[in-house]
Amino acid sequence: MSQPTEREDRLAFDTDALLDRAREWYHVPLLALLFVFMLWNRVRTWENYTRGGDILFSGNDAWYHFRQTSFTVSNWPFTMNFDPWTFFPYGTAPGQFGTLFDQLIATVALVLGLVMPQEQATAFALLFAPAVFGTLVAVPAYFLAKRFGGRAGGVVAVTVLALTPGAFLFRGLVGWSDHHIAEVFFQVLAMLGVMVAVTAAEREKPVFEQLSSREFSTLRRPLGFAALAGVAIALYIWVWPPGIFVVSVLGLFFLAHLIVTFLKGHSPEHVAIVGVVMFLVAGVFSAVRITKFEFTATDFSLLQPTLFVLLAGGLAVMAALARRVEGRDDATTVYVGGILGAIALGTLLFAVVLPDTFSFFVDQSLRIYGLDANAKVRTVNEAQPIPLGRASSYFFGSYGLAFFAAVVGGLVLLGRYLLDDDPRGEALLLVLWGAMMVLATLTQNRFGYYLAVPVGALTAYVVAQVVALADLDTVGSLSDLDASQVMTIAVIVLIVFAPFVAVTGPLFPQSGGVEPGAISLQSVERAENNGPGEVTAWQGSLQWLSENTPKEGQYANPDGEAMPYYENFGQTDDYDYPEGAYGVMAWWDYGHFITVEGQRIPDANPFQQGATRAANFLLGQNESQANEYMTVDNGSSRYVMVDWKLADPRSGKYTAPASFDTIGVSSADLLSARIYTQRSTTEAPRTAQLVRSQDHYESMRVRLYRFHGSAAGPTLPNGKVLVVDWETRQFTVGSQTTQPLAAVPSDGQVYKTFDSLAAAEEYVQNDSTSQIGGLPGIPAEQVEALEHYRLVHASDATAGGVGQWVKTFERVDGATVEGTGPANTTVTARVQLRIPGPGQNFTYVQQAQTDAQGQFTMTLPYSTTGYDEWGTEEGYTNVSVRAAGPYEFRAATQSENLTTTVYNATADVNEANVVGEREGPIEVTLEQSEVIEPDGANASNGTNGTDAPADPGNTTESPDAAENGSDAGGNASNGSTGGNGSNESGNASEANASALVGPVTQSTLRAGAA
């Protein structure tokens, strides 16, 4: 009988051992699966970023990181300290672009370069970097959460990171090659280091006497961990210098924890010592990277080491004061009062003695924690605040119920910390870190990627507490579980994981023939749409720019030396550009595109340098004013790139320049009215029509993008004049009534047409809720032609119902035309131009008035001949937009008996005249060509002082639906209106009012909107 008994005992032993082994190692395969899932979900769309052999990136800043990483590959391990290839004509110190993030990627790229072409290796390394960093965050996050929830808690925290569909996910997707996700990795590493160091100090209790007597063997662990924590903090700053805001978290933590420790009857000296060491180490390491000897948060400057040293000094003072007052009856009052009083007095003296520096710190603090943002900051999508009314929905959308579980966990952990006789400092740090990241996220939504780890760790703590309360940690096998424990497990799973599941359609259809809903994860669905965004629409224009414009240093200077693209440029506040260098004017969102893909120098960039100048140019109301912004400080900008988003009020980017300009244009100046309509009283009113003001049409951005520099007037191609009409009334929404709004008239007639401008003007004078024109391409008044700007390229990419995505213009001297014709008459010059592509024609129109002797002068920016003689090899542009024939000049006079006499001439304008290589005017003489008697007179282009272009494509567009205030046909982008960060998309556009011959009814509007 002994043999079966021994076998049974051995089997029992093996089973117990197996269960013990499973309990000890179960987290390893779970973590491995989670890591694999995180990496797979982040990299699986990588092929979306390969286009025609090129590798693209998302957003704007990723492109500049590509430039910095490429430079670092060639100059390893050094990054570029100064770059003249942006912010023309000054150049810039990239600061936070060119840090440890770029150095790490460059190192990997050099290794990959051993097996593939180096440029391709650099692009691939940067492409996959965010996915790798996003996955690696799980490693320190696991060990951090494990400190509060054990191994199971660590697994829970990593699961939250793996499943969250918010900012932490998309900042870590392949192609989003910005430093953001690397910030998260190194900040979590720093926080973990601080927790370990503080815990070591609380356990081993180092004192000053051990330091003075050099008992380093007993101080090895706390001081060693403190030094490592200091290095980790410095590495975080090396990745992102503005990360110095972390001192606000750590400073508040040490201040609160040392006070609480003292109040509990313990010496704060132990924790203060490790704090002093870690901040001195961080200060030394951050001082190594100083490039600017001033106080700035956007570069390696005196700010970072100064704050670390001040924090270390403050902790030393707190420890010394604790020793000084120890044993006194009033020790608590003196200690707490002395510290808080010293902070208050120091702040007051700081504000009085150094008001500018004090204001700098206040402004920086408000930028991080102020729960609001100014108009300029709001143009950057990632920097916009989250309205408090939407905070709960935002956090639920990003973290599900885990966020609310984390809030509960934070409150419980804080309560236990305050009630504990020997409180754990790391508990307070986690709570403060999470709370301050919530404030930071509400102030700038970008900081949501930081919040993911505190949410995961606090959720892990809650799960651990629930597991302990339900005695789940003592369960030996599944058979030991009772009903309450099973329910507890189910509740945990539902709270933590269920909100991350996405269900498409009903799971249990009620009727036959209906497919059941598909079940997936929100993070998987969000990642599926990952792609490079709007750079794909710009790519053709940028390639054209790099191939068909002179190299930098060779504009009108073909024998000059082209500027080197990668070089150790000496740092200066005002770079000395060579003759023939030039700038490209564009909104600041697109500056890095122009630098990297176009290899030309933008006037403005996503650092928001040059943003005011760009805004002033785009919103400028006359050409001479615009020319001033194109030529500043001996630097001449030669090209302008404008996309549809800047010229169309349906785009979210349209109003952004009004937040930067200094010429006094506000968003309200650009639109005369929004005309609203309402489908039912259960719905809020929606925009039926946007009515543009004359300021809109007079702005350079619209005169370029919409009119291509041509003159334009309110008369439609069919000779009619259109008036937009509305009425003011209140709308009822449920039980509420709106304020009076501009509304579609009760008869549904938004548009009216008149046979003459005089009749339209008379109607508008008698009706204050109406306006001539105001629709796409139809100004209320005459818009003069531009003399020095010509369209040289239009992108193949289009926006639905708007036109080409990007249009590129060149600023030229223009050809001078001197002519004679009938006295005191309007002379109109026309030339038809062709944009490559089917049916892409427009007519440039300009007018001049003859004097009493019949003399006139005009400057024409478009040439008709000589294109191939003045291309890039000669220092000029290989223009893609070319004339279909010569200029036609026309004038008409009318006698008292209404007889109309028409005068005509034609002339070619050579490219040499336009670019200033040929001096002297082009002579034109208008000859009488036709006499129209009164009974046959039916048209005259001089009757009301305007001459509408013959080609309606020059003054109109053909969108395909009614407006509702969203963007037309855009694809996803990160460009900050700014900036640095907006995702604009939509499908709304306007009714084609400019081609109407009669009124459009409200039913038409509704049908289009539907």
Side-chain angles (χ1 to χ4, degrees), residues 217-240:
S217 59
T218 59
L219 296 174
R220 180 174 56 85
R221 286 178 60 82
L223 295 189
F225 285 131
L228 290 175
V231 172
I233 295 170
L235 290 178
Y236 170 59
I237 302 300
W238 282 13
V239 167
W240 191 51

Side-chain angles (χ1 to χ4, degrees), residues 232-266:
I233 295 170
L235 290 178
Y236 170 59
I237 302 300
W238 282 13
V239 167
W240 191 51
I244 189 60
F245 82 88
V246 75
V247 300
S248 63
V249 179
L250 297 177
L252 183 59
F253 158 69
F254 277 102
L255 173 65
H257 185 52
L258 264 60
I259 289 177
V260 171
T261 300
F262 186 84
L263 294 177
K264 295 288 185 179
H266 305 290

Side-chain angles (χ1 to χ4, degrees), residues 936-953:
N938 56 13
S940 172
N941 65 353
T943 54
N944 44 24
T946 66
D947 193 351
D951 184 352

Side-chain angles (χ1 to χ4, degrees), residues 75-122:
N75 299 271
W76 194 88
F78 302 103
T79 58
M80 187 186 303
N81 290 325
F82 185 82
D83 189 5
W85 280 83
T86 187
F87 190 31
F88 185 83
Y90 309 105
T92 190
Q96 58 185 294
F97 291 82
T99 63
L100 181 63
F101 175 71
D102 306 272
Q103 291 168 318
L104 290 173
I105 298 171
T107 304
V108 174
L110 286 170
V111 175
L112 291 177
L114 299 175
V115 295
M116 65 174 66
Q118 186 59 65
E119 184 175 356
Q120 185 182 40
T122 302

Side-chain angles (χ1 to χ4, degrees), residues 650-978:
R650 291 160 295 179
S651 160
K653 198 167 290 187
Y654 174 76
T655 59
S659 299
F660 289 84
D661 79 281
T662 58
I663 58 178
V665 177
S666 69
S667 298
D669 295 329
L670 305 174
L671 294 177
S672 296
R674 286 182 180 269
I675 302 177
Y676 291 92
T677 187
Q678 187 180 36
R679 290 179 176 175
S680 70
T681 56
T682 61
E683 297 182 7
R686 64 188 184 92
T687 302
Q689 186 66 60
L690 299 173
V691 184
R692 295 129 174 96
S693 70
Q694 189 63 19
D695 283 346
H696 164 88
Y697 297 104
E698 296 285 356
S699 66
M700 286 294 293
R701 60 179 178 179
V702 175
R703 294 169 76 179
L704 291 170
Y705 185 88
R706 187 67 62 203
F707 302 138
H708 305 146
S710 176
T715 305
L716 299 177
N718 60 6
K720 303 280 187 178
V721 179
L722 182 142
V723 170
V724 180
D725 197 14
W726 65 92
E727 62 184 36
T728 302
R729 70 169 182 268
Q730 295 176 311
F731 290 91
T732 299
V733 183
S735 60
Q736 302 294 319
T737 302
T738 69
Q739 61 181 343
L741 299 173
V744 172
S746 55
D747 63 0
Q749 302 296 311
V750 180
Y751 311 121
K752 302 180 186 299
T753 56
F754 296 83
D755 292 333
S756 68
L757 183 62
E761 290 174 340
E762 181 180 0
Y763 181 86
V764 171
Q765 288 174 357
N766 295 322
D767 186 347
S768 60
T769 58
S770 63
Q771 176 184 317
I772 294 175
L775 300 186
I778 312 174
E781 303 171 14
Q782 185 72 11
V783 176
E784 295 182 356
L786 300 177
E787 297 180 336
H788 300 286
Y789 294 86
R790 63 176 180 176
L791 179 68
V792 291
H793 179 263
S795 64
D796 293 332
T798 59
V802 178
Q804 290 92 353
W805 198 287
V806 184
K807 295 180 181 179
T808 304
F809 301 84
E810 181 183 15
R811 181 173 67 86
V812 293
D813 292 347
T816 300
V817 173
E818 293 182 354
T820 57
N824 301 317
T825 305
T826 299
V827 176
T828 300
R830 301 174 185 273
V831 64
Q832 190 176 63
L833 294 130
R834 294 174 178 168
I835 301 173
Q840 298 293 313
N841 296 338
F842 69 94
T843 302
Y844 172 80
V845 178
Q846 190 180 146
Q847 296 174 323
Q849 194 75 16
T850 62
D851 59 19
Q853 288 74 44
Q855 305 293 317
F856 71 91
T857 302
M858 63 173 60
T859 302
L860 301 173
Y862 288 95
S863 59
T864 61
T865 61
Y867 299 109
D868 296 333
E869 300 170 14
W870 298 99
T872 54
E873 292 184 1
E874 290 73 34
Y876 294 103
T877 309
N878 180 24
V879 296
S880 296
V881 179
R882 303 190 176 190
Y887 276 90
E888 297 179 356
F889 297 84
R890 186 178 188 273
T893 61
Q894 196 171 71
S895 64
E896 292 183 359
N897 65 359
L898 301 182
T899 297
T900 300
T901 304
V902 180
Y903 300 81
N904 292 97
T906 60
D908 275 314
V909 173
N910 193 277
E911 182 77 355
N913 295 87
V914 168
V915 299
E917 288 286 351
R918 181 178 297 173
E919 297 181 356
I922 297 170
E923 302 289 344
V924 173
T925 301
L926 276 71
E927 303 288 349
Q928 179 177 321
S929 62
E930 185 179 7
V931 176
I932 304 174
E933 297 300 331
D935 59 347
N938 56 13
S940 172
N941 65 353
T943 54
N944 44 24
T946 66
D947 193 351
D951 184 352
N954 187 38
T955 58
T956 64
E957 63 180 349
S958 299
D960 52 14
E963 291 184 301
N964 62 11
S966 62
D967 290 8
N971 64 359
S973 65
N974 185 33
S976 100
T977 32

